[in-house]
Amino acid sequence: MEKVTTQHARIPTMTCSHCGGTGHVVDNVAAGRVFRSLREARGISLRDVAKALKFSPQYLTDLEWGRRRWTLDLRKMYSVALQLTAEEIPE
Protein backbone atom coordinates (compact mmCIF):
# COMPACT_ATOMS: atom_id res chain seq x y z
CA MET A 1 0.00 0.00 0.00
CA GLU A 2 1.37 3.41 -1.01
CA LYS A 3 1.94 5.91 1.77
CA VAL A 4 -0.06 9.10 1.27
CA THR A 5 1.59 12.30 2.38
CA THR A 6 0.10 15.73 2.87
CA GLN A 7 2.02 17.04 -0.10
CA HIS A 8 -0.23 14.89 -2.34
CA ALA A 9 -3.42 16.30 -0.84
CA ARG A 10 -5.05 19.13 -2.77
CA ILE A 11 -7.47 21.57 -1.23
CA PRO A 12 -9.70 23.04 -3.95
CA THR A 13 -10.11 26.77 -4.33
CA MET A 14 -13.39 28.47 -5.15
CA THR A 15 -14.42 31.80 -6.56
CA CYS A 16 -15.27 34.13 -3.74
CA SER A 17 -18.80 35.51 -3.85
CA HIS A 18 -17.60 38.69 -2.14
CA CYS A 19 -14.53 39.69 -4.13
CA GLY A 20 -14.66 37.43 -7.21
CA GLY A 21 -11.17 36.13 -6.47
CA THR A 22 -10.12 32.50 -6.44
CA GLY A 23 -7.50 32.64 -3.70
CA HIS A 24 -9.89 31.57 -0.95
CA VAL A 25 -9.24 28.00 0.08
CA VAL A 26 -12.14 25.75 1.03
CA ASP A 27 -11.34 22.91 3.38
CA ASN A 28 -13.94 20.31 2.41
CA VAL A 29 -13.72 18.51 5.75
CA ALA A 30 -14.14 21.71 7.77
CA ALA A 31 -17.00 22.94 5.57
CA GLY A 32 -18.73 19.58 5.93
CA ARG A 33 -18.40 19.69 9.72
CA VAL A 34 -19.91 23.17 9.86
CA PHE A 35 -22.86 22.30 7.62
CA ARG A 36 -23.47 19.02 9.46
CA SER A 37 -23.40 20.81 12.83
CA LEU A 38 -25.83 23.46 11.60
CA ARG A 39 -28.15 20.82 10.14
CA GLU A 40 -28.14 18.75 13.31
CA ALA A 41 -28.63 21.83 15.53
CA ARG A 42 -31.78 22.62 13.56
CA GLY A 43 -33.03 19.04 13.90
CA ILE A 44 -33.13 18.56 10.12
CA SER A 45 -32.46 15.06 8.86
CA LEU A 46 -30.02 14.33 6.07
CA ARG A 47 -32.88 12.68 4.15
CA ASP A 48 -34.94 15.88 4.35
CA VAL A 49 -32.06 17.94 2.96
CA ALA A 50 -31.45 15.34 0.25
CA LYS A 51 -35.10 15.44 -0.74
CA ALA A 52 -35.16 19.25 -0.82
CA LEU A 53 -32.00 19.43 -2.93
CA LYS A 54 -32.84 16.40 -5.08
CA PHE A 55 -29.55 14.67 -4.21
CA SER A 56 -29.03 11.23 -2.75
CA PRO A 57 -28.45 11.00 1.00
CA GLN A 58 -25.15 9.23 0.25
CA TYR A 59 -23.92 12.18 -1.85
CA LEU A 60 -24.73 14.59 0.99
CA THR A 61 -23.06 12.28 3.51
CA ASP A 62 -19.93 12.38 1.35
CA LEU A 63 -20.11 16.20 1.32
CA GLU A 64 -20.56 16.44 5.07
CA TRP A 65 -17.61 14.11 5.68
CA GLY A 66 -15.34 15.98 3.26
CA ARG A 67 -15.15 13.22 0.66
CA ARG A 68 -16.61 15.50 -2.03
CA ARG A 69 -15.80 19.02 -3.09
CA TRP A 70 -17.97 21.87 -1.79
CA THR A 71 -18.63 24.10 -4.79
CA LEU A 72 -19.99 27.59 -4.31
CA ASP A 73 -23.33 26.46 -5.75
CA LEU A 74 -23.56 23.52 -3.33
CA ARG A 75 -22.79 25.80 -0.38
CA LYS A 76 -25.54 28.19 -1.49
CA MET A 77 -28.06 25.38 -2.01
CA TYR A 78 -27.26 23.79 1.36
CA SER A 79 -27.55 27.18 3.05
CA VAL A 80 -31.01 27.73 1.55
CA ALA A 81 -32.12 24.20 2.51
CA LEU A 82 -31.04 24.84 6.11
CA GLN A 83 -32.58 28.33 6.06
CA LEU A 84 -29.34 29.90 7.26
CA THR A 85 -29.08 33.61 7.86
CA ALA A 86 -26.33 35.54 6.08
CA GLU A 87 -24.26 35.55 9.30
CA GLU A 88 -24.49 31.76 9.65
CA ILE A 89 -23.30 30.85 6.15
CA PRO A 90 -19.79 29.39 6.38
CA GLU A 91 -17.15 31.47 4.57
Side-chain angles (χ1 to χ4, degrees), residues 18-71:
H18 301 289
C19 70
T22 56
H24 296 53
V25 175
V26 174
D27 179 340
N28 291 314
V29 174
R33 280 188 195 131
V34 170
F35 278 110
R36 185 173 59 249
S37 294
L38 290 167
R39 178 181 58 76
E40 290 173 345
R42 284 172 163 66
I44 302 171
S45 74
L46 188 72
R47 288 182 191 269
D48 288 340
V49 176
K51 187 175 180 179
L53 298 181
K54 296 182 172 53
F55 285 115
S56 72
Q58 182 59 51
Y59 182 82
L60 297 185
T61 297
D62 288 346
L63 277 172
E64 288 188 353
W65 286 95
R67 294 185 292 254
R68 293 204 180 252
R69 183 173 174 254
W70 281 95
T71 65

Side-chain angles (χ1 to χ4, degrees), residues 77-88:
M77 291 169 60
Y78 224 85
S79 297
V80 170
L82 297 181
Q83 299 177 353
L84 301 180
T85 64
E87 295 81 28
E88 294 174 302

